[in-house]
Amino acid sequence: MEHIRLESQRQPVTMDTEEIVSSDQPRPKTHFSVHYGSISCNGPDGDTSSTQSTGISQRRSYIAVAVLCYINLLNYMDRYTIAGVLLSIQKYFDISDSTSGLLQTVFICSFMFLAPVFGYLGDRYDRKYIMIAGLIVWLVTTLGSSFAGREYFWVLVLTRALVGTGEASYSTIAPTIIGDLFNGTKRTLMISFFYIFIPVGSGLGYIMGAAIASATGDWRWALRVNPALGALGLLLLVFLIPNPPRGAVDGYTETTMENSSYIEDIKYLLKNRSFVWSSFGVTAMAFVTGALAFWTPTFLSRAQVAQGLREPCEVEPCDPSDSFIFGLITVVTGIVGVLLGSFISKMLRDRVSNADPLICAVGMLSSSPCFFIAVILASKSIPATYTFIALGETLLSLNWAILADILLYVVVPTRRATAEALQILICHLLGDAGSPYLIGLISDALHKYNPDSPSWEFRRLEYSVYICPFVGTLGGLFFLMTSLYIKEDRKAAEMLVAGRSTGQQTTSRVTAN
């Protein structure tokens, strides 16, 4: 059963009085021009007009993107605040490495298992209300997690799991709203702005978490700032975010859309080879970024203890300087990497049809040696380690905006939320849901060989982190596989949009007669 059906019966049409065109006026001929990244419905002069197709002004669309970027910033700040104060949390609750990794794992697990639910809802119901409900859950549970006492570590674990519930609604739906506000190169640009806040928010999470914990002497205050900032985001979401018609900017009209079953949506996506292979590539990327983001500040702190540059942390709050530095590096390299990746994609898209997955492959394959060298140098030179971490993060950040754009142009509009959700499920289930815990588990297993040595505290975590560069290399190979099918799958999606849109116009004219 096709997901988009053309209905033979007359459909009610509603439009603003300013948009009504007299039937006596000659109808402008509509052209469909193929853009790398989307298909746009153009007027006679070839100019894309998303305002005409969505009924939402460009000014309001830009404001909506700004609000979504702000909430995405808070989203990732909250996600990595825990990592920024991890040493203090370990001392406060007296927990091992594997138990510490569990904090990130339970968050990611709830996030990934609920993402398909919100993907299903996001393709069928009002996306704005779904995000509002999710953001409220996120704010309440994040604030609640800061009140867990020393004897109630399970409360912190439970609330972190519930935080994933709120974030699943937002991360699944927000990119699809941007995809329905813009098309062509504007969509690519707006998606780049949105995804640039993943590394920026992550870096600020380390910095703010460490700064607030250091200033107050209590790591729990670090978890209370994001809810305050999130309350502003909630108000902006309520009053400034529209719910654009699905696919209108690509030539669809929602009055001629009929939702298919969820099983049919999944079957469609699993037959899309570009979507499948790119999802595996994103999974490898999530494994690497999740593990390194959670453990790098702790790893570098232990490296300095092993070199005799710092005393071991005995009482919290522990020295947050590594979180500051790593957070700053993440912010800068994230901005540079995302902008550089978008620029390279824009330069190559008209000459190389499979440029996007190739850029992702190069980013993954070249970042892996950088991370491998960084781990090796940690026991010898901290500045050199930071240098190679910065290079690796820059190369890895080339992929953020490009990955989102790939999904948007190989999947038809009414299945994008489901595609986002399924990709989130796969990449977190096999990626960063388990990677922080797995590294902590390996580290704990090695602890028994020299339990009283500060040097071994560093070495056992070092040996555990070596798994990341190898998984990154595997991700690069997955993106190379994506490059083999991207041209065919993109063209199939574009032709479906153009074919259905043309068919809709014909149907409407026949019905009118």
Side-chain angles (χ1 to χ4, degrees):
M1 184 175 80
E2 289 290 333
H3 184 67
I4 309 299
R5 296 188 179 89
L6 302 180
E7 298 183 358
S8 59
Q9 298 180 356
R10 183 188 302 271
Q11 299 292 336
V13 178
T14 59
M15 56 181 82
D16 296 333
T17 55
E18 295 178 356
E19 296 179 354
I20 296 177
V21 179
S22 171
S23 59
D24 296 332
Q25 298 291 330
R27 182 188 299 270
K29 186 176 294 184
T30 301
H31 303 276
F32 292 93
S33 64
V34 176
H35 291 266
Y36 187 56
S38 65
I39 183 168
S40 57
C41 182
N42 298 344
D45 296 327
D47 296 327
T48 301
S49 179
S50 60
T51 301
Q52 183 178 1
S53 57
T54 63
I56 300 169
S57 68
Q58 281 204 345
R59 180 174 178 272
R60 191 182 180 194
S61 297
Y62 289 135
I63 292 174
V65 171
V67 173
L68 293 176
C69 287
Y70 172 70
I71 300 175
N72 201 36
L73 174 73
L74 299 180
N75 182 355
Y76 280 87
M77 281 175 60
D78 175 73
R79 190 176 296 192
Y80 290 105
T81 297
I82 289 286
V85 294
L86 185 60
L87 283 172
S88 296
I89 291 176
Q90 286 183 319
K91 290 300 177 182
Y92 183 82
F93 290 106
D94 191 24
I95 54 177
S96 64
D97 286 349
S98 58
T99 305
S100 302
L102 190 63
L103 286 172
Q104 190 75 348
T105 295
V106 295
F107 163 78
I108 295 297
C109 283
S110 65
F111 177 80
M112 70 180 182
F113 284 124
L114 286 168
V117 176
F118 288 110
Y120 177 87
L121 297 175
D123 277 337
R124 290 159 175 81
Y125 301 102
D126 193 305
R127 292 174 287 185
K128 178 176 177 177
Y129 292 139
I130 295 171
M131 288 195 299
I132 289 172
L135 192 57
I136 291 173
V137 172
W138 170 58
L139 294 176
V140 172
T141 52
T142 298
L143 183 62
S145 67
S146 69
F147 293 99
R150 292 181 186 271
E151 301 83 12
Y152 298 99
F153 177 71
W154 64 270
V155 173
L156 181 61
V157 173
L158 177 62
T159 52
R160 291 305 296 174
L162 293 175
V163 167
T165 303
E167 290 198 18
S169 65
Y170 179 80
S171 297
T172 303
I173 294 173
T176 69
I177 289 182
I178 297 176
D180 285 330
L181 289 172
F182 300 94
N183 60 7
T185 55
K186 282 188 178 180
R187 174 186 291 169
T188 302
L189 182 62
M190 294 301 110
I191 287 292
S192 299
F193 283 141
F194 180 79
Y195 277 92
I196 206 171
F197 287 98
I198 291 179
V200 171
S202 302
L204 289 178
Y206 296 110
I207 294 170
M208 290 193 63
I212 295 169
S214 179
T216 62
D218 188 345
W219 63 269
R220 290 176 295 184
W221 280 102
L223 300 180
R224 295 168 185 168
V225 174
N226 284 332
L229 298 173
L232 173 61
L234 179 61
L235 292 175
L236 296 174
L237 179 61
V238 170
F239 293 107
L240 298 179
I241 297 296
N243 185 35
R246 295 171 180 86
V249 75
D250 288 321
Y252 283 119
T253 57
E254 284 196 303
T255 56
T256 56
M257 291 183 185
E258 181 180 337
N259 288 322
S260 61
S261 70
Y262 191 70
I263 296 299
E264 289 172 321
D265 291 352
I266 298 299
K267 288 181 179 178
Y268 162 81
L269 292 171
L270 293 180
K271 291 178 181 178
N272 189 319
R273 293 169 295 182
S274 297
F275 172 79
V276 171
W277 284 111
S278 64
S279 295
F280 286 144
V282 175
T283 300
M285 185 174 172
F287 185 100
V288 174
T289 56
L292 295 179
F294 191 79
W295 284 112
T296 296
T298 302
F299 171 71
L300 292 173
S301 178
R302 292 185 185 181
Q304 293 179 72
V305 172
Q307 293 183 40
L309 302 176
R310 179 184 299 172
E311 292 296 321
C313 178
E314 300 295 341
V315 180
E316 55 96 14
C318 301
D319 187 348
S321 57
D322 294 298
S323 294
F324 277 118
I325 299 172
F326 182 65
L328 183 61
I329 289 175
T330 302
V331 170
V332 174
T333 58
I335 294 173
V336 173
V338 171
L339 293 179
L340 184 60
S342 299
F343 175 77
I344 296 173
S345 174
K346 184 178 180 180
M347 292 296 101
L348 294 180
R349 63 178 49 172
D350 293 330
R351 289 178 287 175
V352 183
S353 60
N354 57 352
D356 282 353
L358 289 177
I359 294 170
C360 293
V362 170
M364 291 290 289
L365 293 174
S366 57
S367 66
S368 294
C370 293
F371 290 132
F372 186 81
I373 295 171
V375 176
I376 292 176
L377 293 177
S379 61
K380 300 176 177 64
S381 172
I382 297 300
T385 300
Y386 275 126
T387 299
F388 279 96
I389 287 176
L391 288 173
E393 286 200 324
T394 301
L395 292 167
L396 206 59
S397 295
L398 295 176
N399 300 2
W400 284 117
I402 297 175
L403 290 172
D405 209 22
I406 287 175
L407 184 145
L408 289 174
Y409 64 65
V410 299
V411 177
V412 293
T414 51
R415 281 169 167 153
R416 286 174 182 164
T418 299
E420 290 276 359
L422 184 60
Q423 191 170 86
I424 286 173
L425 175 63
I426 294 171
C427 78
H428 291 308
L429 178 64
L430 303 177
D432 56 348
S435 61
Y437 179 71
L438 176 62
I439 287 178
L441 198 64
I442 296 172
S443 177
D444 283 349
L446 296 174
H447 176 69
K448 62 183 178 181
Y449 294 105
N450 198 350
D452 300 322
S453 170
S455 177
W456 186 246
E457 287 289 299
F458 160 71
R459 288 297 181 185
R460 62 190 178 97
L461 190 55
E462 175 191 26
Y463 298 149
S464 305
V465 173
Y466 273 124
I467 191 174
C468 293
F470 294 101
V471 174
T473 301
L474 187 62
L477 298 179
F478 288 142
F479 284 123
L480 288 177
M481 291 297 298
T482 306
S483 68
L484 299 178
Y485 305 107
I486 192 77
K487 181 179 180 180
E488 178 182 344
D489 291 334
R490 186 182 72 246
K491 182 178 292 186
E494 290 169 345
M495 291 183 66
L496 180 60
V497 172
R500 289 295 181 254
S501 300
T502 305
Q504 289 164 11
Q505 291 178 2
T506 303
T507 301
S508 64
R509 291 174 184 175
V510 171
T511 303
N513 294 332

